[in-house]
Amino acid sequence: MNNEEEWDWFEEVEDREPRDPMLSAVLRAVRQAGDEWSSLGIPPEATIARLDDNGLRVFIDVLDKDDDVLATLRVDVKRDGTSVMAWSDGELAEVEERMEDTDPLDIARFSSPIPEELASHVVAWLDGQLRRVVVRYEWSVRGRIRATCEAFQDTGTVLASSGAKPHGGLDTADRKTQIRP
């Protein structure tokens, strides 16, 4: 990431503020929470907000200690006060299809006709997600790492992986290291 450029929390791609009170309340709330999230390793340039005809989309790239993106948090807020919050790089339809099979800690729905209530819930969910412990699991052969996996400590939900992991799951890892927060 380019640290020379000055970024604001959740900049708008279209460079416009939402006129809808629901969307405006959510955007204002996540921007205010951004300063606290910097202590969790989330810089302003890892956040963005997009406003379109369907509503507001908020993205937070969650980084490891080397500033590599592990996963992206996404919140979609519609003008009617409904929201879907998830760990996803995919389209929202794909996220909603997976909701039945996803751990409830990794995805949520919420709706409220009251802008401040919706905004408060969105910020609380994001804050909780950003505080979850992420562990890097490593499998080695003859002293060389052959596979890695980054996953939530509480659910084992995998955020990123590389290499062929042996059978037996995360418990068979040769090394476990907390990498977030």
Side-chain angles (χ1 to χ4, degrees):
M1 292 186 188
N2 184 353
N3 291 331
E4 295 174 15
E5 188 175 344
E6 184 68 29
W7 282 75
D8 291 324
W9 290 100
F10 300 99
E11 286 187 346
E12 294 279 348
V13 171
E14 292 85 7
D15 240 0
R16 58 190 168 117
E17 294 294 317
R19 292 188 184 137
D20 182 278
M22 190 70 68
L23 307 181
S24 182
V26 171
L27 183 59
R28 190 171 43 255
V30 295
R31 282 181 172 161
Q32 288 172 350
D35 287 333
E36 184 174 324
W37 294 335
S38 63
S39 69
L40 299 173
I42 305 298
E45 60 268 21
T47 68
I48 196 156
R50 292 190 176 141
L51 184 63
D52 60 29
D53 293 338
N54 296 318
L56 177 71
R57 289 180 287 155
V58 172
F59 300 89
I60 301 175
D61 284 338
V62 178
L63 311 173
D64 65 13
K65 293 176 182 175
D66 297 324
D67 287 339
D68 293 324
V69 176
L70 290 172
T72 301
L73 269 170
R74 176 177 175 162
V75 176
D76 286 48
V77 179
K78 296 181 182 170
R79 295 177 194 283
D80 66 359
T82 60
S83 66
V84 175
M85 300 166 283
W87 288 91
S88 172
D89 286 323
E91 292 299 316
L92 186 59
E94 295 170 17
V95 172
E96 289 177 325
E97 286 174 15
R98 293 193 333 256
M99 285 189 80
E100 295 300 318
D101 301 325
T102 303
D103 191 291
L105 288 175
D106 299 335
I107 195 164
R109 288 182 191 257
F110 187 76
S111 63
S112 174
I114 303 167
E116 291 74 21
E117 182 180 48
L118 179 65
S120 175
H121 186 79
V122 167
V123 167
W125 187 84
L126 287 169
D127 189 69
Q129 295 299 308
L130 293 172
R131 293 179 187 282
R132 289 174 72 186
V133 174
V134 176
V135 176
R136 175 172 285 133
Y137 298 85
E138 296 176 352
W139 291 265
S140 302
V141 174
R142 296 183 195 109
R144 295 189 132 181
I145 297 172
R146 71 172 184 170
T148 62
C149 173
E150 289 82 18
F152 287 122
Q153 184 178 40
D154 55 1
T155 62
T157 300
V158 174
L159 299 174
S161 65
S162 65
K165 291 176 285 308
H167 298 292
L170 300 177
D171 292 334
T172 64
D174 299 310
R175 182 176 174 196
K176 301 173 187 174
T177 308
Q178 180 177 330
I179 60 171
R180 283 203 49 82

